[in-house]
């Protein structure tokens, strides 16, 4: 596998890439005018970062106006996360588009075994794919757990990955892998993935994301950057819903179905139960939507997001219905306000949002001024 390369962009380069990511392909002359960059300088500083988009359109006299877009081969990164019983990987190019997705059985809970498994699998995949020999930016790892003592690399984790608890994950994983590693909370990673969806990033600067998986988490994008908070725990909405009480989480839904007599082992089994247990789903969705509405109302009051996204590992029809009911409740709560209110979306990424957001972490870091 190619050696990881720390890609550092100048302020002008970041502005160009961000503009193209938000606004899509743009004629080079218009890009230079909009950003106030000399056309010759623009061409020089964007080598390997942008590419011409072929077009058959006629522009009249003179040379045709050829739009440019982000070049996929400007770099690539990988995201990884572990689930109960399996490991998930995804690689993306510099545009943020998926190069490959991969899953494999994994029952170990040792982070070092996780790192060695990821390294071995990546070596195999890279050997099979010639397009992955370009600039490798690093690995993002999404972890189910909140930061301890303000250190984003030390996490209080869920029980089934207990050996990951309160250890310097970036150093432990990086030492085994020999590459830059980004550690992120799973729900915060999902928020990053949701924000990079074209229909979101091209309309909104700030979003609030709820991720409903085994637990319930959240993530915040503020002014196009992932907001982590003073102690790197912004979006820990699970605190609003104690595990000892009914909550809008996947585990809670599983337990609700089991009490109703369903034989269900994991979230992957939910699709087959939608029809036979329709009434159970209806009741659970109605209750979860009210809980998410309360959290949304508070989040909107404090954060003023442009959008709220209901994301997670639940069936698409469940996410759709949750978003619709939260929208209905919020319309009543916001009625009479003259201020703009956020649009509420149901995610189309499903559980893949977590690993995709992990892969986006190295790329997002390159595009931000934070160092």
């Amino acid at each position: 596998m190619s050696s990881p390369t720390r890609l550092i962009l100048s302020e002008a380069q970041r502005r160009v890439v961000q503009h193209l990511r938000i606004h899509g392909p743009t004629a080079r002359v218009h890009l230079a005018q909009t950003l106030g960059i000399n056309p010759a300088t623009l061409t020089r500083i964007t080598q390997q970062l942008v590419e011409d988009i072929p077009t058959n359109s006629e522009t009249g006299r003179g040379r045709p106006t050829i739009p440019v877009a982000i070049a996929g081969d400007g770099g690539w990164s990988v995201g990884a996360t572990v689930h109960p019983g399996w490991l998930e990987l995804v690689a993306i190019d510099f545009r943020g588009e998926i190069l490959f997705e991969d899953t494999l059985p994994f029952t170990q809970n040792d982070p070092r075994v996780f790192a060695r498994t990821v390294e071995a699998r990546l070596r195999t995949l890279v050997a099979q794919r010639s397009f992955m020999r370009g600039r490798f930016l690093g690995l993002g790892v999404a972890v189910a757990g909140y930061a301890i003592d303000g250190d984003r690399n030390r996490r209080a984790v869920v029980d089934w990955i207990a050996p990951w608890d309160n250890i310097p994950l970036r150093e432990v994983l990086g030492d085994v892998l020999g590459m830059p590693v980004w550690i992120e909370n799973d729900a915060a990673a999902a928020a990053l993935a949701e924000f990079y969806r074209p229909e979101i990033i091209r309309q909104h600067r700030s979003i609030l994301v709820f991720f409903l998986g085994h637990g319930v988490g959240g993530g915040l994008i503020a002014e196009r950057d992932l907001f982590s908070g003073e102690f790197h725990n912004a979006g820990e909405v699970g605190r609003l819903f104690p595990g000892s009480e009914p909550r809008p989480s996947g585990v809670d839904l599983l337990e609700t179905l089991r009490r109703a007599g369903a034989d269900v082992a994991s979230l992957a089994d939910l699709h087959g139960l939608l029809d036979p247990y329709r009434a159970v789903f209806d009741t659970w969705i109605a209750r979860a939507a009210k809980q998410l509405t309360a959290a949304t109302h508070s989040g909107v009051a404090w954060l003023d997001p442009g959008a709220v996204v209901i994301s997670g590992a639940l069936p698409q029809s469940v996410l759709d219905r949750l978003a619709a009911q939260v929208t209905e409740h919020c319309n009543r709560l916001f009625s009479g306000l003259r201020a703009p209110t956020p649009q509420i979306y149901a995610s189309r990424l499903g559980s893949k949002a977590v690993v995709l957001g992990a892969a986006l972490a190295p790329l997002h870091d390159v595009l931000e001024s934070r160092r």
Side-chain angles (χ1 to χ4, degrees):
M1 194 168 67
S2 58
S3 299
T5 302
R6 176 59 168 166
L7 176 61
I8 300 177
L9 301 184
S10 68
E11 178 61 25
Q13 289 172 318
R14 282 196 298 272
R15 290 171 61 210
V16 170
V17 176
Q18 286 286 43
H19 182 92
L20 293 174
R21 190 172 300 284
I22 294 166
H23 300 285
T26 306
R28 197 180 294 268
V29 62
H30 296 149
L31 187 60
Q33 291 173 350
T34 300
L35 300 179
I37 300 174
N38 179 278
T41 301
L42 178 68
T43 299
R44 176 178 56 80
I45 67 173
T46 56
Q47 293 180 14
Q48 295 185 310
L49 297 178
V50 305
E51 60 187 6
D52 291 340
I53 303 299
T55 177
N56 295 322
S57 63
E58 297 292 336
T59 60
R61 299 176 59 185
R63 298 178 59 185
T65 300
I66 301 175
V68 296
I70 298 171
D73 59 5
W76 64 283
S77 59
V78 175
T81 193
V82 62
H83 306 275
W86 55 291
L87 186 154
E88 187 175 15
L89 292 171
V90 67
I92 61 172
D93 65 15
F94 201 62
R95 289 183 296 254
E97 296 181 359
I98 294 176
L99 297 172
F100 74 81
E101 301 172 75
D102 189 49
T103 60
L104 60 157
F106 186 77
T107 57
Q108 299 288 332
N109 57 10
D110 187 325
R112 295 169 183 82
V113 176
F114 166 85
R116 289 194 291 270
T117 304
V118 168
E119 181 187 36
R121 189 59 180 154
L122 283 179
R123 287 188 180 278
T124 299
L125 292 167
V126 168
Q128 298 170 352
R129 292 167 165 82
S130 60
F131 58 77
M132 291 169 57
R133 293 174 185 163
R135 183 162 42 201
F136 177 49
L137 304 178
L139 171 74
V141 178
V143 182
Y146 60 85
I148 298 174
D149 296 330
D151 183 352
R152 69 190 311 152
N153 296 308
R154 289 181 179 270
R155 298 273 164 177
V157 300
V158 293
D159 292 343
W160 48 270
I161 51 170
W164 295 58
D165 191 80
N166 198 21
I167 63 173
L169 288 170
R170 184 172 57 195
E171 289 76 11
V172 168
L173 300 178
D175 286 348
V176 174
L177 289 160
M179 64 179 68
V181 174
W182 282 254
I183 303 296
E184 195 52 80
N185 170 266
D186 55 351
L192 198 58
E194 298 293 351
F195 180 67
Y196 269 74
R197 290 164 56 197
E199 62 268 35
I200 300 292
I201 197 171
R202 292 179 182 175
Q203 294 187 59
H204 307 293
R205 301 192 314 273
S206 302
I207 66 169
L208 170 63
V209 176
F210 294 104
F211 187 83
L212 313 182
H214 285 83
V216 51
L220 310 173
I221 301 292
E223 294 300 322
R224 299 196 171 99
D225 197 8
L226 185 63
F227 179 77
S228 60
E230 180 87 6
F231 305 110
H232 301 292
N233 285 318
E236 276 293 308
V237 296
R239 299 180 184 182
L240 303 176
F241 311 108
S244 58
E245 301 176 10
R247 62 204 310 246
S249 73
V251 165
D252 183 85
L253 176 56
L254 291 177
E255 293 175 351
T256 301
L257 287 163
R258 288 174 187 137
R259 288 195 297 270
D263 181 14
V264 55
S266 73
L267 298 180
D269 301 327
L270 293 178
H271 290 275
L273 301 173
L274 289 169
D275 286 334
Y277 289 88
R278 181 179 298 276
V280 177
F281 277 96
D282 290 347
T283 301
W284 186 88
I285 289 170
R287 186 255 292 168
K290 290 181 179 178
Q291 292 177 302
L292 292 173
T293 297
T296 298
H297 193 202
S298 177
V300 170
W302 282 102
L303 304 167
D304 192 29
V308 175
V309 182
I310 311 296
S311 181
L314 305 183
Q316 186 64 57
S317 62
V318 173
L319 295 178
D320 288 341
R321 292 178 62 192
L322 283 170
Q325 292 192 27
V326 172
T327 297
E328 183 178 348
H329 294 321
C330 285
N331 285 343
R332 288 195 293 269
L333 287 171
F334 300 150
S335 65
L337 292 177
R338 298 172 64 185
T341 55
Q343 184 169 350
I344 298 173
Y345 296 86
S347 171
R348 290 295 179 267
L349 296 177
S351 62
K352 185 170 64 178
V354 170
V355 71
L356 180 57
L360 282 163
L363 177 59
H364 183 75
D365 189 63
V366 164
L367 299 178
E368 294 302 317
S369 58
R370 296 171 294 113
R371 289 290 179 262

